[in-house]
Amino acid sequence: MIHRERTVLTIAAILLAAAPARADDSDLEALLNETVVTTASKSAETSSTAPATSSIITAEDIRNYGMHSLDEAINFLALGAFTSNTGRAVDVGARGVTIPNDQGGHFLMLVNGHAVNEPLFGTARFDRGAGIPLELVDHIEVILGPGSVLYGSNAMLGVVNIVTKNARDFQGVHVALESEIGKSTRVAAGMGYEIPLFGSKADVTAAVDYYRQRGPDLTLGPQDVGNDTATLEPFPFSHDGPATGQWGGVASHSNHADIPSGHLRLTSHGLEVNLHASIYKRASPFNHRFVVPDSDFDDPQNYEMDRNAWADVKYTKAVSRLVQIGVRVYGDTFDYQRHIDASARTQCLFTVTTCRHSVLGASRWLGAEVQTSLDWFADARFSTLIGVDARTRYVGTRTDVQDYDTDAYLASSQGILHDVDRVFGAYLQQTWQPTNELAMNAGGRLDYDQRYGYQASPRIAVAVGAWHGGTLKAVYSEAFRAPSWAESNRAVDTQLEATGLGAETVRSVETSVEQKLGAHHLLFGIFASMWSDLVELKVLTADELQQAKDAGKISFTQRTATQFRNISTLNNVGWNAGYDGSMAAEKLRYALNVTSSVTLEDHAGIENPLPVAPRLFGNARVSYALPDAWPTVGLAAYYFGKRPADRAFDGVFVTRPYAPAQVELRATFSGKVPPVPHLTYRVSANYAFAAEGPYVVGPAQGSSTRVVPAELIPVDRFRITTGVQYDF
């Protein structure tokens, strides 16, 4: 954290020098405890003047409170953001808005400033699939609100930037072993060194990580599906077992994950190089409308896999005291596989026992960004940022059906997509701080995509130091999300090709007041956002399904079909509040975050609460570093209010399914092992009070004469995790 402390001290020195009459001990303490962010404006600034509401999750927080993945850190530690586990990946929301099953497509993820959301599906993995070893993480910046003004597509809910450590904070060699007892094991190794490079010094950090999960076993169903409409015999849900017409049982083979990953960062005199590689293979027994709904139950060969690798090279040069130029080139590759086995005749229209359905996808992109920063008076009070970002992208996907027993292909590939396009963005940002009490930020970005044309994203923000330690801030911003290629250009048996899709847009306004009292920081803000043209996977009505069959677009045996459409708008209003502080020479730390909102989704004039999104949510934490060889004790909790399930309003259930309110508690003990120098430990216990989450699972995605209530996704309620780390 040394580089962040230097930034804070520099800001503190400037402000204290400019206002010596106000510089007392409480001022200095407040400035040294000021949060510094870089993501909102692509430059270091205090959170009070940044043009967005932000929170920082530090490496110390991650360790003290027993965080093991990015989604856990967001739920337990961030302000205004939350995640929901679908069983396949996690959805990410903010301020009471989340788009069910978008898998992170409306939040932009950055790693050291590199955007990782891929264009084929538009997703980013906000769970362990992010593939960043947590030992390497210095801090995580969570920026709320539209961020397209500097970053383009996907930054509708906000931006999360994972910043890795430098060599001074990760000096030496480190090895770690961690286990969630009876469920998973993780091993990691990393290093940080200053090395000679071209006659100078380079800062190098790197880490590799392997996570393996098996279980826990889950009991699901039974859901009575009845007879297969193609054979009029009981519906089969296994390759070898009897056809019972019932889905469910004990899932002991289909809940597993394997995640190897690695990341390297090198910096030297304006040069920064990042290299990343990861594989995310996972399986879940949960079926829902986005997967072949009647796949075999507890089949270990039903799985998904991502393969992700990227490189980012950036060079920044100060041409003069006033001008700085940065050039960045980057390249990414992303592969996706999904394999589903189905033995039912309606899902396997061939003379074989079981069909293996496979979806294969790939995306590749190369890009370059040129950025110029003009500090007109060499004092950081009036600065202009100009940049252009262009990239070339390839996307491809196909769907195949094979014989489970022989791997022979049973039909020609469907959903074939092979395309290349180019996208371009140009942005301009102007900051002006005429006095210590007034800071302004205004900017705009223009993006072009051949599928939806031009899109403008403006932002304007004003921060006023209204009284001693207090700041008033107001922000207006807009953002967009381009439809992914899978949404706009892909069709399979169960999904019709979309027609005329446009970009989603959001307009947001927020105002907040912050107060700093020494080591204490309070924030209260209100916000409103208006979302238009949301792209959703709509389940076809009976009439639409029949029309598609008559037109030959889907098979006559299909019982359901979907299509992506711009079909809804959202109106979201609410407030968020946060408090954090420390006492006893920072040995005692604590924080509380609360968000409340009302979000209504409008479908053709019919308004309903937004599924999966809680109206009230928040988190709290406290830690204390005991003296001598005693551990640091951390207690953290988060709360989600009662919320509609993903199929609450389109599943046509007799009783609309709602997930109960959830409280999750975590206690963590961490410290040094006294007899062994350089060896540290961490033990945490986690308990969730509610047993269900907000997603409908199984083939019963709507009510029928056989299944009336919806079955909701089960929650792993109790976990104990232990780990050790040795620092050479």
Side-chain angles (χ1 to χ4, degrees):
M1 304 296 290
I2 292 176
H3 65 288
R4 291 181 59 223
E5 293 171 356
R6 287 176 175 170
T7 304
V8 173
L9 289 171
T10 301
I11 295 173
I14 293 172
L15 295 179
L16 290 175
R22 295 174 55 186
D24 54 26
D25 290 342
S26 62
D27 289 329
L28 181 58
E29 185 179 14
L31 287 166
L32 291 177
N33 283 280
E34 176 72 87
T35 300
V36 177
V37 297
T38 60
T39 305
S41 295
K42 292 193 175 183
S43 60
E45 57 192 336
T46 63
S47 62
S48 58
T49 59
T53 299
S54 62
S55 57
I56 296 288
I57 301 170
T58 66
E60 185 178 18
D61 293 333
I62 291 171
R63 177 165 181 80
N64 288 349
Y65 296 109
M67 301 298 108
H68 307 107
S69 59
L70 177 58
D71 57 319
E72 289 184 353
I74 291 173
N75 284 341
F76 281 102
L77 306 177
L79 167 66
F82 62 93
T83 71
S84 294
N85 191 347
T86 70
R88 299 173 58 205
V90 300
D91 293 334
V92 189
R95 292 175 166 173
V97 175
T98 186
I99 309 302
N101 293 290
D102 83 329
Q103 302 187 47
H106 291 79
F107 236 111
L108 185 69
M109 179 190 286
L110 309 176
V111 178
N112 293 329
H114 177 91
V116 300
N117 294 66
E118 50 81 31
L120 180 58
F121 301 103
T123 60
R125 305 306 180 196
F126 283 81
D127 49 16
R128 292 183 185 270
I132 304 295
L134 285 185
E135 288 79 9
L136 193 60
V137 174
D138 180 82
H139 66 279
I140 301 167
E141 299 184 8
V142 182
I143 309 298
L144 301 180
S148 290
V149 64
L150 295 180
Y151 297 105
S153 182
N154 295 97
M156 296 187 75
L157 287 166
V159 181
V160 170
N161 189 12
I162 303 171
V163 181
T164 60
K165 293 176 180 176
N166 58 29
R168 292 185 180 182
D169 296 327
F170 202 52
Q171 186 67 38
V173 176
H174 317 269
V175 294
L177 174 65
E178 187 174 71
S179 175
E180 186 179 328
I181 297 175
K183 300 172 186 176
S184 70
T185 302
R186 186 179 73 91
V187 294
M191 64 88 179
Y193 286 104
E194 289 187 346
I195 63 173
L197 180 67
F198 304 129
S200 182
K201 285 187 176 182
D203 184 298
V204 180
T205 56
V208 293
D209 183 297
Y210 175 65
Y211 172 78
R212 184 179 189 271
Q213 173 216 330
R214 295 296 182 270
D217 294 352
L218 299 170
T219 300
L220 301 165
Q223 294 184 14
D224 187 0
V225 179
N227 292 336
D228 187 335
T229 56
T231 64
L232 301 182
E233 298 292 332
F235 213 95
F237 284 107
S238 70
H239 176 68
D240 301 314
T244 64
Q246 289 192 337
W247 177 90
V250 177
S252 57
H253 302 95
S254 55
N255 188 19
H256 57 83
D258 292 274
I259 313 173
S261 63
H263 189 89
L264 180 145
R265 181 185 185 187
L266 179 149
T267 60
S268 177
H269 293 284
L271 174 68
E272 179 176 343
V273 179
N274 281 273
L275 302 175
H276 175 88
S278 61
I279 297 174
Y280 183 22
K281 182 180 180 181
R282 70 267 187 203
S284 170
F286 312 132
N287 302 320
H288 49 68
R289 57 179 169 166
F290 293 94
V291 182
V292 177
D294 301 325
S295 58
D296 289 352
F297 180 76
D298 199 31
D299 185 335
Q301 297 303 313
N302 290 346
Y303 69 87
E304 295 177 274
M305 184 169 65
D306 304 336
R307 296 187 302 176
N308 184 30
W310 53 266
D312 190 302
V313 180
K314 180 179 180 180
Y315 182 71
T316 304
K317 175 72 173 179
V319 179
S320 69
R321 293 179 59 208
L322 308 181
V323 181
Q324 180 174 279
I325 296 177
V327 178
R328 185 170 69 96
V329 294
Y330 54 91
D332 295 62
T333 177
F334 173 83
D335 294 338
Y336 173 79
Q337 300 179 30
R338 186 176 77 218
H339 301 285
I340 299 291
D341 296 330
S343 299
R345 187 60 57 219
T346 53
Q347 302 294 333
C348 184
L349 303 176
F350 304 92
T351 57
V352 298
T353 303
T354 301
C355 290
R356 185 160 179 79
H357 299 265
S358 299
V359 176
L360 306 177
S363 54
R364 318 271 188 263
W365 60 103
L366 295 171
E369 181 178 14
V370 179
Q371 180 179 286
T372 300
S373 177
L374 304 172
D375 184 1
W376 295 95
F377 303 110
D379 59 3
R381 292 187 178 272
F382 192 79
S383 300
T384 304
L385 179 69
I386 305 171
V388 294
D389 187 359
R391 66 186 65 174
T392 297
R393 309 184 301 186
Y394 162 79
V395 292
T397 184
R398 76 173 193 266
T399 298
D400 290 311
V401 182
Q402 296 170 266
D403 182 357
Y404 176 92
D405 294 309
T406 66
D407 290 333
Y409 286 89
L410 302 174
S412 300
S413 298
Q414 291 187 326
I416 297 176
L417 171 64
H418 291 289
D419 213 326
V420 176
D421 74 341
R422 294 175 177 83
V423 293
F424 175 84
Y427 55 88
L428 170 67
Q429 177 182 262
Q430 180 65 53
T431 61
W432 184 30
Q433 189 170 356
T435 70
N436 291 333
E437 289 75 29
L438 178 63
M440 292 179 281
N441 181 302
R445 177 176 172 122
L446 183 66
D447 284 272
Y448 175 75
D449 186 306
Q450 67 182 41
R451 293 173 300 147
Y452 65 86
Y454 292 94
Q455 189 69 47
S457 304
R459 179 177 68 188
I460 184 168
V462 178
V464 179
W467 57 83
H468 186 53
T471 303
L472 297 175
K473 182 162 47 177
V475 182
Y476 174 82
S477 55
E478 297 183 15
F480 75 98
R481 186 186 76 93
S484 70
W485 277 90
E487 290 170 334
S488 63
N489 293 77
R490 182 173 173 272
V492 293
D493 267 349
T494 58
Q495 179 182 313
L496 303 184
E497 183 175 349
T499 56
L501 277 186
E504 301 175 335
T505 60
V506 60
R507 294 173 293 152
S508 172
V509 60
E510 62 178 278
T511 182
S512 63
V513 55
E514 296 185 50
Q515 179 66 53
K516 295 179 177 62
L517 300 170
H520 304 270
H521 172 227
L522 300 93
L523 178 145
F524 179 81
I526 57 175
F527 54 84
S529 61
M530 292 69 69
W531 297 58
S532 301
D533 298 322
L534 263 70
V535 177
E536 294 187 24
L537 189 60
K538 183 183 185 301
V539 179
L540 270 60
T541 65
D543 289 342
E544 291 172 333
L545 182 66
Q546 188 59 51
Q547 291 172 8
K549 291 180 179 179
D550 294 341
K553 296 180 179 179
I554 59 175
S555 169
F556 72 94
T557 60
Q558 289 296 329
R559 300 190 300 172
T560 184
T562 57
Q563 185 182 44
F564 284 105
R565 300 177 182 176
N566 294 104
I567 57 175
S568 65
T569 62
L570 296 180
N571 289 292
N572 162 248
V573 296
W575 57 268
N576 48 236
Y579 168 66
D580 62 84
S582 63
M583 297 176 63
E586 297 191 348
K587 291 183 179 180
L588 177 64
R589 294 176 175 269
Y590 38 85
L592 172 68
N593 299 307
V594 181
T595 300
S596 178
S597 68
V598 175
T599 306
L600 295 177
E601 184 176 24
D602 188 325
H603 280 273
I606 300 175
E607 288 189 337
N608 287 306
L610 186 63
V612 180
R615 287 195 171 192
L616 179 66
F617 65 95
N619 52 58
R621 63 185 184 271
V622 60
S623 67
Y624 187 75
L626 295 169
D628 302 325
W630 291 94
T632 294
V633 180
L635 299 175
Y638 73 77
Y639 170 82
F640 292 161
K642 181 180 179 181
R643 45 187 170 157
D646 62 335
R647 301 302 309 276
F649 304 107
D650 66 359
V652 201
F653 286 98
V654 173
T655 301
R656 285 179 175 166
Y658 276 73
Q662 178 67 280
V663 175
E664 195 159 331
L665 302 178
R666 179 165 299 178
T668 302
F669 299 86
S670 59
K672 297 180 179 180
V673 179
V676 184
H678 311 297
L679 181 65
T680 57
Y681 69 91
R682 185 173 68 166
V683 179
S684 64
N686 193 95
Y687 183 76
F689 283 81
E692 297 175 326
Y695 298 91
V696 176
V697 299
Q701 292 289 303
S703 63
S704 69
T705 57
R706 301 182 185 88
V707 181
V708 176
E711 181 171 3
L712 298 182
I713 187 171
V715 171
D716 185 13
R717 299 183 65 184
F718 182 68
R719 307 191 298 276
I720 294 179
T721 306
T722 63
V724 292
Q725 178 174 318
Y726 192 85
D727 304 311
F728 292 89

